[in-house]
Tab-separated table of all heavy atoms in Angstrom:
chain	number	residue	atom	x	y	z
A	20	LEU	N	-57.976	-3.521	-29.966
A	20	LEU	CA	-56.619	-3.971	-29.564
A	20	LEU	C	-55.739	-2.730	-29.413
A	20	LEU	O	-55.026	-2.585	-28.433
A	20	LEU	CB	-56.053	-4.939	-30.619
A	20	LEU	CG	-54.555	-5.246	-30.475
A	20	LEU	CD1	-54.285	-6.018	-29.162
A	20	LEU	CD2	-54.032	-6.039	-31.639
A	21	LEU	N	-55.810	-1.853	-30.424
A	21	LEU	CA	-54.987	-0.658	-30.358
A	21	LEU	C	-55.350	0.195	-29.137
A	21	LEU	O	-54.451	0.761	-28.491
A	21	LEU	CB	-55.182	0.180	-31.661
A	21	LEU	CG	-54.571	-0.355	-32.913
A	21	LEU	CD1	-54.819	0.556	-34.051
A	21	LEU	CD2	-53.045	-0.569	-32.771
A	22	ASP	N	-56.620	0.225	-28.784
A	22	ASP	CA	-57.041	1.025	-27.660
A	22	ASP	C	-56.415	0.520	-26.357
A	22	ASP	O	-56.106	1.316	-25.462
A	22	ASP	CB	-58.562	1.015	-27.549
A	22	ASP	CG	-59.230	1.786	-28.680
A	22	ASP	OD1	-58.479	2.561	-29.315
A	22	ASP	OD2	-60.433	1.632	-28.873
A	23	VAL	N	-56.278	-0.811	-26.214
A	23	VAL	CA	-55.770	-1.297	-24.912
A	23	VAL	C	-54.245	-1.441	-24.929
A	23	VAL	O	-53.639	-1.713	-23.887
A	23	VAL	CB	-56.404	-2.679	-24.546
A	23	VAL	CG1	-57.906	-2.527	-24.363
A	23	VAL	CG2	-56.058	-3.747	-25.558
A	24	SER	N	-53.605	-1.255	-26.063
A	24	SER	CA	-52.145	-1.357	-26.167
A	24	SER	C	-51.480	-0.097	-25.669
A	24	SER	O	-50.798	0.569	-26.430
A	24	SER	CB	-51.685	-1.725	-27.547
A	24	SER	OG	-52.418	-2.852	-28.049
A	25	LYS	N	-51.658	0.157	-24.419
A	25	LYS	CA	-51.164	1.470	-23.907
A	25	LYS	C	-49.644	1.544	-23.893
A	25	LYS	O	-49.069	2.602	-23.967
A	25	LYS	CB	-51.693	1.705	-22.491
A	25	LYS	CG	-53.219	1.809	-22.503
A	25	LYS	CD	-53.712	2.529	-21.243
A	25	LYS	CE	-55.215	2.517	-21.161
A	25	LYS	NZ	-55.703	1.122	-20.812
A	26	ARG	N	-49.019	0.407	-23.758
A	26	ARG	CA	-47.555	0.425	-23.666
A	26	ARG	C	-46.893	0.729	-25.001
A	26	ARG	O	-45.703	0.928	-25.140
A	26	ARG	CB	-47.052	-0.891	-23.108
A	26	ARG	CG	-47.142	-0.986	-21.566
A	26	ARG	CD	-46.489	-2.207	-21.077
A	26	ARG	NE	-45.054	-2.304	-21.406
A	26	ARG	CZ	-44.302	-3.345	-21.177
A	26	ARG	NH1	-44.845	-4.452	-20.674
A	26	ARG	NH2	-43.044	-3.357	-21.517
A	27	SER	N	-47.740	0.570	-26.110
A	27	SER	CA	-47.187	0.797	-27.439
A	27	SER	C	-47.703	2.165	-27.931
A	27	SER	O	-48.560	2.196	-28.790
A	27	SER	CB	-47.568	-0.289	-28.404
A	27	SER	OG	-47.376	-1.547	-27.769
A	28	SER	N	-47.150	3.229	-27.412
A	28	SER	CA	-47.768	4.501	-27.668
A	28	SER	C	-47.074	5.319	-28.733
A	28	SER	O	-47.645	6.273	-29.306
A	28	SER	CB	-47.823	5.313	-26.350
A	28	SER	OG	-46.519	5.313	-25.752
A	29	THR	N	-45.819	4.965	-29.084
A	29	THR	CA	-45.099	5.806	-30.077
A	29	THR	C	-45.633	5.485	-31.459
A	29	THR	O	-46.257	4.490	-31.731
A	29	THR	CB	-43.590	5.556	-30.051
A	29	THR	OG1	-43.361	4.242	-30.573
A	29	THR	CG2	-43.031	5.680	-28.657
A	30	LYS	N	-45.302	6.408	-32.365
A	30	LYS	CA	-45.763	6.245	-33.761
A	30	LYS	C	-45.144	5.009	-34.387
A	30	LYS	O	-45.825	4.216	-35.040
A	30	LYS	CB	-45.316	7.507	-34.555
A	30	LYS	CG	-45.979	7.675	-35.870
A	30	LYS	CD	-45.732	9.054	-36.458
A	30	LYS	CE	-45.995	9.045	-37.938
A	30	LYS	NZ	-44.756	9.159	-38.756
A	31	GLU	N	-43.859	4.774	-34.098
A	31	GLU	CA	-43.159	3.606	-34.678
A	31	GLU	C	-43.849	2.307	-34.222
A	31	GLU	O	-44.023	1.394	-34.986
A	31	GLU	CB	-41.688	3.541	-34.272
A	31	GLU	CG	-40.798	4.600	-34.901
A	31	GLU	CD	-40.999	5.961	-34.251
A	31	GLU	OE1	-41.236	6.049	-33.025
A	31	GLU	OE2	-40.915	7.020	-34.983
Side-chain angles (χ1 to χ4, degrees):
L20 169 66
L21 288 180
D22 290 346
V23 297
S24 307
K25 295 200 188 74
R26 279 186 62 188
S27 314
S28 50
T29 69
K30 195 168 160 251
E31 289 77 33

